[in-house]
Amino acid sequence: MNYANFPLDKRMPLPNSEAGDGDDFIDIERLLGMAARQAKVVGVCAIIGLFLGMLYLQTTPPKFVSVSSVLIDEGLNKIVDDISAASTTMQTDSAILSQIEILTSTRLAAVVVDKLKLDQNDTFMNPPQSALAQGVGLIRGLIQYVHPSSPVMPGVGDITKLDPAARDALIAASRRDYAILKLQNEIRADRVGRSYVIALGYQATDPALAKAITKAYADAYLADQLDASFDATERAAVWLQGRLTELRESSQQASLAVEKFRAEHGLSANSDGQLMSDKQLADLNAQLIVAQADTARASARYQQYKSIVDSGSDNAFKDAAISSDQPASSVIAALKTRYLTVAKRQQDVEANFGPQHPQAVALAKEKADISTQIFGELKQLTESYRNEYEVALARETALRANVAAAQGKSSIDNQSQVQLRDLDQKATALSTLYQTFLGRYEEAAQQQSFPVGKIRIISDASTPLAASSPRTVIVLGLSLVLGVLMGAGFGGLNEFNERFFRTGEEVRDRVGLKFLGYLPTIGSKPSKEDKPAEPDLKVARSPAAIERRARMRVSIDAPASMFSETLRSAKIAFDVVMEGQGSRVIGVISVLPGEGKSTVAANLAGLLAANGSRTLLIDGDLRNPGLSRSLGMEAEQGLMEAVVSGQTWQSVGKIDRQTKLAIIPAVLRGHFSHTSELLSSAGMRRFIENAKETFEYIVVDLPPLGPVVDAKAFAPLVDGFVLVTEWGRTPRAMVRSMLESEPYVANKIVGAVLNKVDLKKLAKYGSFGASEKFFDKYSSYYLDKSEVRSKAAV
């Protein structure tokens, strides 16, 4: 089966070069692998961080903090609050923050600077600085020296042009302003938790200075609060005094207006506050009601007696209303009693002696006289009741007229009462306001002699015994953390810049090639294959040349090594892919120079020859024959001469006596740039066909794909390529780009090997469970690396 003859559309397409880099989930194994690979970088950065931290501790002068606690106490001013007109209750966070702003204000800083003369204190103005601050100051000084500026002040100009006295005054004022600004920036005032306590502190290199400034600040704050309270009370008293005069005059004018309006409209009131017109109208209404009742009673009685008189004397005497209306002692009642007595005697006489009896006649006459008298009395009484009725009616009529007149006057008075009430309310309001302001003025006047602030110091500033900064543990811990973070950053940068092949899995996933195995580093660092060596005998016999030749025979000298085992894996891959072919042409290529393809080609050919296979090794790198140099072959003729002159391999080839490996060297003939035409020429084809008649394997060391096109030109003559990539050096993107641009070459690549692998570091790049993690367990099956080195050095 010829793998190289597969059609291009049947081959597996190259995978995404960043496959696996865009996973949606965090790859924990990958992160742990990255951490293990970059542990040394992180450790070194952590040590550097600790060193810088210790250097900072050694070069930074210690600073001391003195703290004083101030309580905003409402209880101290409770007595004043009970009488104060402008009390302020501090119950919100904004009030506490306002006090902190007052503490850090420029005014308080100026008071402390003037009190302690801090602008003349060199310890305060120029404290000792750390090495870092000195370095920054030095840089600023250099900048100032390179770009000097004249001492110009706003509004003054160049101070050097002023007279000495004015200049000294300006400098002193500038020092004071600088001291105020410095103190304002360095003082610290913070609220303690959610309490009403404010911690006031200052940090300085001198503990005595820190204590003095903190104590002076607390005293200045307390005095400022007392002064503010006194000033506010004084201003309130002065303002109230001016307002009292105006309010007194306004109140008096309003009261006079009320009385004047009352007098003009006759709106006098009784003791109950009721108007006299309203009182009079009420009395007249009561009298009218009584008069109406009397008139009705008199009218009823008159009409009753009038009807009795009109009915005649007999009926009048018989009417029962007369007896019920008249008292028992009245004349009518006496006459009626007498009448009844005479009538009873008459009845008795007539019954005994008859109606004609003189006594009966006399009694009848007497009875008629009594009846006449009773009727006369009724007529007089009726006339009397008529007079009473007329009097009551006249009285009622008069009262009605008086009520109507009183109602009109009451309506006018009520309308005036509205205006009077408005004037009275205004006068009352002004009087109340005057009394209120008078009370507040008296309170403010009393409070001026009793100024109490709401601030008290609960903890005085003391001399600090220990330095507050720098804190050794915190600085070292922070330095360690920053060092670790810096190491993590560098490690992450290293991982981000990791664009090379490290594992076989990357070869398979990133470029879609079969991975043939790892080739560990052997001997010392090989010389660059692209650097031509001088054809000097002394150089050829130098230790470096001997070591290069030994590296070319590792598979022969150490057949049990891991290096040889990987080449055996490559041989098996060739045999599987090229099964059925008689002679197999294998090209060994790389993308960049110096990746060790010549070493791989020589050892692969040596391994095949040592196994008994007829093998031919051709140095096809005609521009830089590194294989021939490394083997130390001194020849007058090589591949170029054989192809140009049409010779066979026997005319230029050399045979290794130990393995019977045939080698075709390349001889460098000055500057020859048409090597690609030579490798693709008909002469080269005839040369290869002639070699196939003798050899089972033809291994050709070809130039790298990157610099020249020789390998592409030779590709039609090759049955399969072996791609050699240097571990940790060959960029993945470059290999992928090369394979995509040269599909014909890519289709003939049987597999790739990773060369110059550092086995100690390889395990860090393998995923958990991958074979790279278990190479140390394979050591019993491989020749020890030290033995490979020693044999390579022979």
Side-chain angles (χ1 to χ4, degrees):
M1 175 181 182
N2 190 349
Y3 181 78
N5 295 327
F6 277 12
L8 295 180
D9 57 350
K10 300 294 185 180
R11 298 292 302 275
M12 181 182 296
L14 291 175
N16 189 347
S17 62
E18 299 299 329
D21 290 347
D23 294 340
D24 296 334
F25 300 98
I26 298 176
D27 192 343
I28 302 299
E29 292 186 1
R30 185 180 179 187
L31 291 178
L32 293 177
M34 293 169 59
R37 291 191 293 273
Q38 303 300 328
K40 184 179 293 184
V41 175
V42 175
V44 171
C45 291
I47 294 174
I48 294 175
L50 285 176
F51 173 75
L52 293 177
M54 289 187 291
L55 182 62
Y56 175 80
L57 291 174
Q58 293 297 323
T59 58
T60 301
K63 292 185 178 181
F64 301 86
V65 174
S66 181
V67 180
S68 178
S69 298
V70 179
L71 173 64
I72 303 176
D73 193 353
E74 293 288 330
L76 284 178
N77 210 24
K78 185 174 180 58
I79 299 176
V80 179
D81 285 344
D82 292 339
I83 63 174
S84 177
S87 62
T88 303
T89 303
M90 294 177 141
Q91 295 180 348
T92 60
D93 292 340
S94 59
I96 302 296
L97 294 176
S98 300
Q99 295 300 314
I100 292 176
E101 291 298 323
I102 293 174
L103 275 169
T104 57
S105 63
T106 305
R107 183 161 57 88
L108 276 184
V111 171
V112 175
V113 168
D114 295 338
K115 180 179 179 181
L116 299 180
K117 300 185 183 308
L118 294 179
D119 55 337
Q120 303 174 15
N121 190 328
D122 190 64
T123 304
F124 173 79
M125 297 294 289
N126 300 300
Q129 295 182 340
S130 63
L132 179 62
Q134 292 177 1
V136 174
L138 180 61
I139 294 175
R140 290 180 178 175
L142 292 175
I143 296 175
Q144 182 68 22
Y145 178 78
V146 174
H147 300 284
S149 59
S150 59
V152 177
M153 296 184 63
V156 178
D158 191 352
I159 63 175
T160 58
K161 298 179 180 179
L162 300 175
D163 59 276
R167 184 169 61 251
D168 293 342
L170 284 176
I171 293 175
S174 300
R175 284 179 60 87
R176 180 178 179 273
D177 294 340
Y178 173 75
I180 293 172
L181 181 61
K182 184 175 184 295
L183 180 60
Q184 185 181 4
N185 292 332
E186 293 177 355
I187 196 69
R188 292 293 177 265
D190 298 306
R191 184 180 183 182
V192 180
R194 303 296 298 172
S195 66
Y196 288 91
V197 177
I198 298 177
L200 181 66
Y202 183 77
Q203 186 181 58
T205 55
D206 185 4
L209 180 62
K211 175 186 176 181
I213 291 177
T214 304
K215 181 174 176 54
Y217 236 104
D219 294 340
Y221 178 53
L222 183 60
D224 180 76
Q225 291 293 317
L226 293 176
D227 293 342
S229 177
F230 181 81
D231 293 342
T233 305
E234 185 178 14
R235 287 194 298 270
V238 172
W239 182 80
L240 287 172
Q241 187 176 12
R243 287 291 297 158
L244 280 175
T245 303
E246 299 177 5
L247 288 175
R248 183 171 59 252
E249 294 176 356
S250 301
S251 177
Q252 291 175 355
Q253 292 176 1
S255 299
L256 289 175
V258 170
E259 295 302 328
K260 184 178 180 181
F261 186 86
R262 191 190 302 274
E264 290 177 354
H265 294 79
L267 299 176
S268 59
N270 56 13
S271 59
D272 296 335
Q274 187 178 10
L275 292 176
M276 295 301 297
S277 59
D278 292 341
K279 178 65 175 176
Q280 185 179 6
L281 178 60
D283 293 342
L284 289 176
N285 282 327
Q287 294 176 15
L288 178 60
I289 292 172
V290 174
Q292 288 176 346
D294 293 342
T295 302
R297 186 168 55 253
S299 175
R301 189 167 48 187
Y302 167 69
Q303 293 298 331
Q304 182 181 12
Y305 276 88
K306 183 176 182 298
S307 62
I308 293 173
V309 171
D310 292 340
S311 64
S313 60
D314 293 336
N315 291 330
F317 176 77
K318 296 178 182 179
D319 197 327
I322 298 174
S323 299
S324 61
D325 185 63
Q326 295 298 316
S329 59
S330 65
V331 176
I332 294 177
L335 289 174
K336 189 174 183 179
T337 301
R338 182 180 174 189
Y339 179 85
L340 293 175
T341 302
V342 172
K344 182 172 176 49
R345 289 176 60 192
Q346 181 185 2
Q347 185 178 5
D348 290 341
V349 171
E350 286 180 356
N352 293 324
F353 300 104
Q356 298 299 323
H357 189 276
Q359 189 175 0
V361 173
L363 290 171
K365 185 177 179 181
E366 183 179 2
K367 188 172 94 170
D369 292 338
I370 292 172
S371 178
T372 302
Q373 292 179 6
I374 291 173
F375 188 72
E377 287 294 332
L378 285 175
K379 291 173 65 175
Q380 292 179 0
L381 188 60
T382 301
E383 188 65 22
S384 174
Y385 284 158
R386 185 180 68 80
N387 292 333
E388 289 181 4
Y389 166 69
E390 291 178 354
V391 170
L393 183 61
R395 183 170 177 271
E396 179 184 354
T397 302
L399 285 174
R400 287 185 182 278
N402 292 335
V403 167
Q407 285 178 344
K409 188 173 187 308
S410 177
S411 177
I412 296 174
D413 291 345
N414 286 333
Q415 294 178 4
S416 300
Q417 183 71 9
V418 175
Q419 301 179 15
L420 178 64
R421 190 178 299 110
D422 181 66
L423 293 174
D424 187 60
Q425 289 176 352
K426 182 178 180 181
T428 302
L430 289 173
S431 177
T432 302
L433 186 61
Y434 172 73
Q435 295 297 329
T436 301
F437 272 72
L438 181 61
R440 292 185 177 181
Y441 172 75
E442 294 297 335
E443 293 168 0
Q446 293 298 325
Q447 192 175 354
Q448 286 183 0
S449 61
F450 187 57
V452 176
K454 299 180 181 181
I455 308 299
R456 67 186 178 100
I457 300 174
I458 61 175
S459 177
D460 288 328
S462 59
T463 303
L465 302 178
S468 60
S469 68
R471 297 183 180 179
T472 304
V473 176
I474 295 179
V475 169
L476 293 180
L478 185 60
S479 300
L480 180 61
V481 171
L482 291 178
V484 171
L485 292 178
M486 182 176 63
F490 282 120
L493 183 61
N494 291 338
E495 291 292 330
F496 179 77
N497 292 330
E498 183 63 52
R499 294 294 185 263
F500 314 109
F501 290 106
R502 293 290 186 178
T503 62
E505 183 180 0
E506 292 179 350
V507 174
R508 291 188 293 268
D509 294 343
R510 300 304 176 90
V511 295
L513 296 178
K514 178 179 177 58
F515 178 63
L516 302 178
Y518 298 99
L519 295 174
T521 302
I522 54 177
S524 61
K525 185 176 181 181
S527 59
K528 295 292 183 181
E529 295 181 1
D530 57 349
K531 183 184 295 184
E534 296 294 334
D536 191 0
L537 182 61
K538 294 181 179 180
V539 175
R541 293 180 180 179
S542 64
I546 296 174
E547 185 176 353
R548 285 199 299 270
R549 286 196 299 270
R551 282 200 302 270
M552 297 295 177
R553 299 177 59 86
V554 170
S555 60
I556 301 172
D557 298 335
S561 64
M562 181 180 177
F563 192 93
S564 301
E565 194 65 25
T566 299
L567 295 179
R568 290 190 184 93
S569 175
K571 175 185 177 299
I572 294 174
F574 302 147
D575 293 340
V576 171
V577 174
M578 304 174 189
E579 184 179 4
Q581 287 187 226
S583 181
R584 301 160 185 175
V585 180
I586 302 171
V588 181
I589 57 174
S590 65
V591 175
L592 297 174
E595 296 189 74
K597 60 177 180 57
S598 299
T599 303
V600 174
N603 282 278
L604 177 60
L607 178 68
L608 295 173
N611 290 337
S613 300
R614 299 187 303 276
T615 306
L616 174 64
L617 175 61
I618 301 176
D619 187 355
D621 195 347
L622 300 178
R623 299 194 187 189
N624 185 21
L627 175 64
S628 301
R629 287 198 303 268
S630 297
L631 291 174
M633 301 182 66
E634 299 177 4
E636 296 297 330
Q637 292 184 341
L639 179 62
M640 182 183 299
E641 289 75 15
V643 173
V644 171
S645 61
Q647 302 178 31
T648 62
W649 68 269
Q650 292 88 349
S651 61
V652 294
K654 295 184 180 298
I655 305 297
D656 183 83
R657 289 174 293 180
Q658 180 181 354
T659 61
K660 308 303 180 182
L661 173 65
I663 304 173
I664 305 297
V667 180
L668 188 62
R669 300 291 184 183
H671 183 69
F672 183 72
S673 59
H674 300 288
T675 54
S676 59
E677 287 83 353
L678 181 64
L679 292 176
S680 61
S681 64
M684 176 59 74
R685 183 177 297 274
R686 288 192 299 270
F687 183 84
I688 295 298
E689 293 297 333
N690 177 262
K692 283 184 178 182
E693 296 175 358
T694 305
F695 300 100
E696 300 177 45
Y697 295 96
I698 300 174
V699 179
V700 184
D701 178 23
L702 294 170
L705 294 172
V708 293
V709 298
D710 294 13
K712 306 171 191 176
F714 190 73
L717 304 179
V718 175
D719 296 319
F721 287 106
V722 177
L723 178 64
V724 178
T725 57
E726 184 174 348
W727 185 80
R729 182 173 176 267
T730 305
R732 298 191 296 258
M734 188 173 185
V735 175
R736 178 181 175 85
S737 175
M738 190 65 66
L739 296 179
E740 289 178 344
S741 62
E742 300 296 337
Y744 186 71
V745 175
N747 290 337
K748 286 193 173 185
I749 295 178
V750 177
V753 294
L754 286 177
N755 193 24
K756 303 180 185 179
V757 178
D758 188 344
L759 296 180
K760 292 182 178 179
K761 296 180 180 179
L762 179 61
K764 297 180 180 179
Y765 292 92
S767 59
F768 290 93
S771 60
E772 291 83 3
K773 295 288 186 180
F774 303 95
F775 278 171
D776 56 342
K777 298 183 180 298
Y778 301 165
S779 59
S780 59
Y781 289 88
Y782 298 142
L783 181 67
D784 185 73
K785 191 174 181 181
S786 60
E787 185 177 349
V788 174
R789 248 192 226 103
S790 62
K791 290 189 176 184
V794 174

